[in-house]
Amino acid sequence: MTELWNESAPGVLRLPSGRLVRGRGLRRPLPEGPVPTYAVHLLGRTPPETPWESVWLRWPDFRLPADRDTARTVLTEVWERAAGERVEVACGGGRGRTGTALAVLAVLDGVPAGEAVAYVRRHYDRHAVETPWQRRYVRRFTP
C-alpha cells in the first residue's frame, strides 16, 4: 500500500469513508510533498505530461464532461483507488470541474446527491462547483 495524502495538506478532501483525494488547479504550482500515484485531468484539451499515471477526462471549462459514461467510469476508478493510493483530480483553476468531480466522489462515498455540493464546499473550497449545470449534474448523479 502507498503512503496516503496528509489530511491537512492543501486541497486534500476527506470523504466520509476516510478516503483522501486531492483536488488542485493545474495553473498553480505543484504543492510541496508527495506527488499523486494516479491523477485525472479535467480539461477541454490535452493535459500536460506527468511523471505519474494520469488520465485525461475531456471536460471543457465551466461545462460538464464531454462523455458522461466515461466520466462515471473514470470517477468510480478514482474513488476505488483512493482507498489505498494518492489520487488527485485537477482542472485549470481547481474549483469548478474539480469541485464537481469531488462532489461526485462524495456521492459515490455515500453522501446524498442533494448534499454533496455543500459537503465539498464545506470541506474543500467554498467556491467549488461553479455553475448551475454542474450543481444539477451532481444532484442527478446516482451511484
Side-chain angles (χ1 to χ4, degrees):
M1 186 161 121
T2 304
E3 178 185 340
L4 302 178
W5 296 117
N6 177 340
E7 187 174 350
S8 63
V12 174
L13 172 70
R14 182 181 193 82
L15 295 169
S17 67
R19 286 174 166 87
L20 301 172
V21 180
R22 182 169 78 181
R24 81 175 174 101
L26 293 169
R27 290 191 300 262
R28 296 187 188 115
L30 184 66
E32 290 186 25
V35 297
T37 55
Y38 178 70
V40 175
H41 296 133
L42 314 166
L43 298 169
R45 58 186 168 158
T46 307
E49 292 290 324
T50 61
W52 51 84
E53 183 182 0
S54 65
V55 170
W56 173 32
L57 180 57
R58 192 169 176 283
W59 192 329
D61 200 7
F62 296 105
R63 307 241 168 135
L64 296 174
D67 182 330
R68 295 190 190 169
D69 290 334
T70 299
R72 174 181 291 280
T73 300
V74 168
L75 293 174
T76 298
E77 182 173 4
V78 167
W79 180 80
E80 290 169 351
R81 291 178 77 158
E85 296 180 54
R86 286 187 310 274
V87 295
E88 171 180 89
V89 293
C91 65
R95 287 186 169 168
R97 294 167 285 181
T98 296
T100 303
L102 291 173
V104 166
L105 295 175
V107 173
L108 290 170
D109 204 62
V111 174
E115 299 172 21
V117 170
Y119 182 88
V120 170
R121 286 179 174 172
R122 188 169 48 255
H123 298 287
Y124 171 70
D125 185 309
R126 65 187 180 105
H127 299 291
V129 192
E130 296 174 314
T131 68
W133 40 93
Q134 290 172 340
R135 290 189 298 273
R136 186 171 49 246
Y137 176 71
V138 174
R139 273 194 322 271
R140 294 179 177 172
F141 189 87
T142 55

